[in-house]
Amino acid sequence: MKNKRSKRPLCIGEYLIQRLRKLGIEHIFGVPGDYVLRFYDMLTRSDIEVVGTTREDCAGFAADAYARVKGLGAVCVTYCVGGLSMANSIAGAYAEKSPVVVISGAPGMAQRQRNPLLHHKVREFSTQREVFERITVANTALEDPSRAFEDIDRVLDAAVRYKRPVYIELPQDRVLSVPETRTIRQVSLPGSDGEALAEVLAEATQMLRSAKRAVILAGVEMHRFGLQDELVKLSEQSGIGVAATLLGKSVISEAHPMYVGIYEGAMGRESVRRFVESSDCVLMLGAFMSDINLGINTANLHMGQCISASSEEVRIGHHIYQNVGLGDFVQGLIEAKIRRAKRKRPAVRTKLGAYKVRPKAKITTDRLYKRLNHLLTKNTVIIADIGDALFGAVDLVVRERTEFISPAYYTSMGFAVPAALGAQLARPDLRPVVIVGDGAFQMTGMELSTIAARKLNPIIIVLNNKGYGTERVIWDGPFNDIYDWQYHRITDVLGAGQGFEVSTEAELEQALNAALENTEQFSLLNVHLSVDDHSQALNRLSKRLASQVRPTSGGKK
Amino acid sequence: MKNKRSKRPLCIGEYLIQRLRKLGIEHIFGVPGDYVLRFYDMLTRSDIEVVGTTREDCAGFAADAYARVKGLGAVCVTYCVGGLSMANSIAGAYAEKSPVVVISGAPGMAQRQRNPLLHHKVREFSTQREVFERITVANTALEDPSRAFEDIDRVLDAAVRYKRPVYIELPQDRVLSVPETRTIRQVSLPGSDGEALAEVLAEATQMLRSAKRAVILAGVEMHRFGLQDELVKLSEQSGIGVAATLLGKSVISEAHPMYVGIYEGAMGRESVRRFVESSDCVLMLGAFMSDINLGINTANLHMGQCISASSEEVRIGHHIYQNVGLGDFVQGLIEAKIRRAKRKRPAVRTKLGAYKVRPKAKITTDRLYKRLNHLLTKNTVIIADIGDALFGAVDLVVRERTEFISPAYYTSMGFAVPAALGAQLARPDLRPVVIVGDGAFQMTGMELSTIAARKLNPIIIVLNNKGYGTERVIWDGPFNDIYDWQYHRITDVLGAGQGFEVSTEAELEQALNAALENTEQFSLLNVHLSVDDHSQALNRLSKRLASQVRPTSGGKK
């Protein structure tokens, strides 16, 4: 394996590893199981490092974060008990366009014929693959060696092209199979349709040139497709300011002079809302128009005045252009050298509000975030779980791009701690600050085990309000209460890390300083918050959600 | 709700709750989320108790165990982030025929039209349902109120009839919908085809009468379909001894005089293997012929001499009868009053081997199980996770039927701790003894949180050998090592329970006595075992598995 350029033909397992390595994969996450042990053994002897997690879904979240930071992530698990345990985390990567390669072992082809009831089988041998068909953009089961290399290429190309997860099933008796014929690799990434591109660019530049109050609304695809530099160039050259969606937060440095703020309808800051909604031409670039990005549908944008370009299509007003690449479109806009008079942009809080410790004051959500804003450096990556961990984090000023990671559309609880594992392995120079609710921490927080094993040093802030805080605002009931853990004592179980209990501002100060000082291991802050203490954003958002959950007319259809 | 016999017509949510309650559901497991809050609120005000778990997959395992003990289980979760997180535990219930009703909230029908990108959505609104179609025996999305009651009936009937999970999706704006027309409930449980039943009974009784060495091999379906009394009656009356499959362990009291032992091919005890394989007529009743039940295919049974009846079909030799109910078939055999001379059965270890504590001796797997055998009473339920937790537990003598719970076919790690929650809520008179490997405990052991919250008192035995012990025997590598937890200190995190560290027989004694004495809370024993210490069964089984994972000819297809 180790780059010995032998003439020996590669077997399927070796080819797969070689391709992953060339696509930048240095770590693969997962839990071993008997149907995949042969391939694990091969991985162990390769240049790719196997990172064992406590659970498969955590491997999925870690690989998702790894992909967001590094461009591609991978997991490797066993059949059904392993793969199906990841259905949710891979579905989340699909929804938010994070390219994760799922590799699952499977019973050998010979075994299957002799024994219809092999362990881990659910229904048919194809059941797991059928499930993953629904939550990945391409899939293959490498049953036929003569097609295996081609299938691997096809599926990996799809992950890179569409920035979505793919599924590769590897029967255990195919790992060592050497195909007799080798198909020459056909990379078929069709470019834009030249005529469609010319037409859409003509129309878009015309609209932007005649607009008086244009604005760019940048989304997460600009990050996924590596178009951050182009975004800055387009904005600086044209003089058009850039707002970002919630999912796209930090796609441009929030300290950049052209940055306007996060736009999320009525949920966000009023000045940003007014600036965007008063625009006569909103240029959306790689932005998902999801309900949470749109402030639970409080956004008031007129499609007739919008240009929306994504990896899937370009939409101007009410008509659609297909076969236009997002990168080609942005590049074309840059080359058109549009120049607009600069609009007065709303004051962005790039200057941090002063924070003076009130030692005896009970810590609140609002004060916690104000304090965290001063913690961030160029070497910090913020990883926000959902609920107030996300909504409160919106106002943190991220100084570099790509330093904010959160499942802001799919909003799956429990993403953040395993994501810290993935993000820090992808970028060891960054120190994650993880903000996570107590309910979410109970789901996956024990993945700190792997973080401890690898001596990583994230700072984990547990927002402990004894329950599902977002839901309390929407519809409260006893089901929103959770059993209280001594989260800071997880260090006793893991025999590693520093734990702190924080109730006052003085304790917060002490704990953060100790955490910053100790870069050898993780720190966990168990921050006690009142049950009724929420960020302003959560209050606004939850009220809006509540009105949808309890419509006034609930009765007959 | 509370049984007020009002004439007010029921809404969909109320009808569903009423039907579940009538089918014996007293607890429903899950994690709330915004799309299902309205229904959670309704549950809270009903006779069904909501049991919040830390994670959805744990809710699935708990409901599975609840169903095994009580006949039907139920979970209630939110859309996609909740439902997809349960894919593995529900797949396991499907594979092992445990009837769990999955109820998932979903976006309101009105909401969907206005907003294509609602949070938690993966791909299509139907994605989650399509996934569950593959791992349940019936499903419905209650989108059309006029069909809702009928659909609920159809799906719940399928769960009861086929003893497999079913899926019910409940859009949030349908919970309060009152159908305008009520379909009269049609319970359509077709009985056996009378002629087929008569023919198969004639053939089977003839075979059994002429056999000289008949034996019954009883499987888990005898338990699922409540046929344990009939099994005992058939055996006592006919004089035919009963062996059980691994998955069927404890389907008959292991202290019963007609009991032969667990049959699992070459993996099990030699005397049982010889007794079963020398039989000239094996009557399999409700037995899955899975690889693990068959000792990883070391079983040597001649199909030409087998009668195999399950809920799906009856097979005699190489021909198949359909539309014959398992219960009708067993009843018919009883009525045929077959009497056979009793065969000399192998001595079954119903008498417990003496166990004398060697205080300073390091505890071993073998000695641990010998000691645990003396712990069991009529009020114990053994819950075994997979690996040596299962294989070692095979020789424990279960005095009552239905007191052994394990995912012995699907073998999903992490089943046991959440299963203890489900089993003890279903049968508060039983005290669970949970045997779980360290790797499995790291997956779901924190569900002790809910066990602590409810002051349940299982005794948890963690087999701590610092890794995936079964896999070490199959194919060892660094990937089988796991980070060592101070499992006994989880009591610090939960502020409840007793934790013990056990390295010697004296410490085991002390810990078990303290655990038995303290019935107010859970006890956890962190039992340190050598890395190379396995039960005899695991050694035999793993070697067999290893030969399949590494076949001698691994190369070209």
Side-chain angles (χ1 to χ4, degrees), chain A residues 121-137:
Chain A
K121 186 182 156 199
V122 183
R123 191 173 195 158
E124 307 296 336
F125 282 113
S126 58
T127 298
Q128 176 170 283
R129 185 181 176 185
E130 288 165 15
V131 167
F132 275 89
E133 264 174 12
R134 264 108 199 128
I135 55 177
T136 56
V137 71

Side-chain angles (χ1 to χ4, degrees), chain A residues 32-33 38 55 57 111 117 119-120 123 136 291 410-411 443 449 471 483 485-486 492-494 548-549, chain B residues 32-33 38 55 57 111 117 119-120 123 136 291 410-411 443 449 471 483 485-486 492-494 549:
Chain A
R38 178 191 297 279
R55 312 171 35 90
D57 61 337
Q111 255 179 311
L117 284 182
H119 63 286
H120 299 344
R123 191 173 195 158
T136 56
D291 58 347
Y410 188 61
T411 52
M443 288 187 165
S449 174
E471 289 176 11
Y483 185 72
W485 292 10
Q486 308 298 305
D492 297 348
V493 175
L494 299 179
Q548 290 191 354
V549 175
Chain B
R38 179 192 296 279
R55 310 171 37 89
D57 62 337
Q111 253 180 311
L117 284 183
H119 63 285
H120 299 345
R123 190 172 196 158
T136 56
D291 58 346
Y410 188 62
T411 53
M443 289 186 165
S449 174
E471 289 176 12
Y483 185 73
W485 291 10
Q486 307 299 305
D492 297 347
V493 175
L494 298 180
V549 176

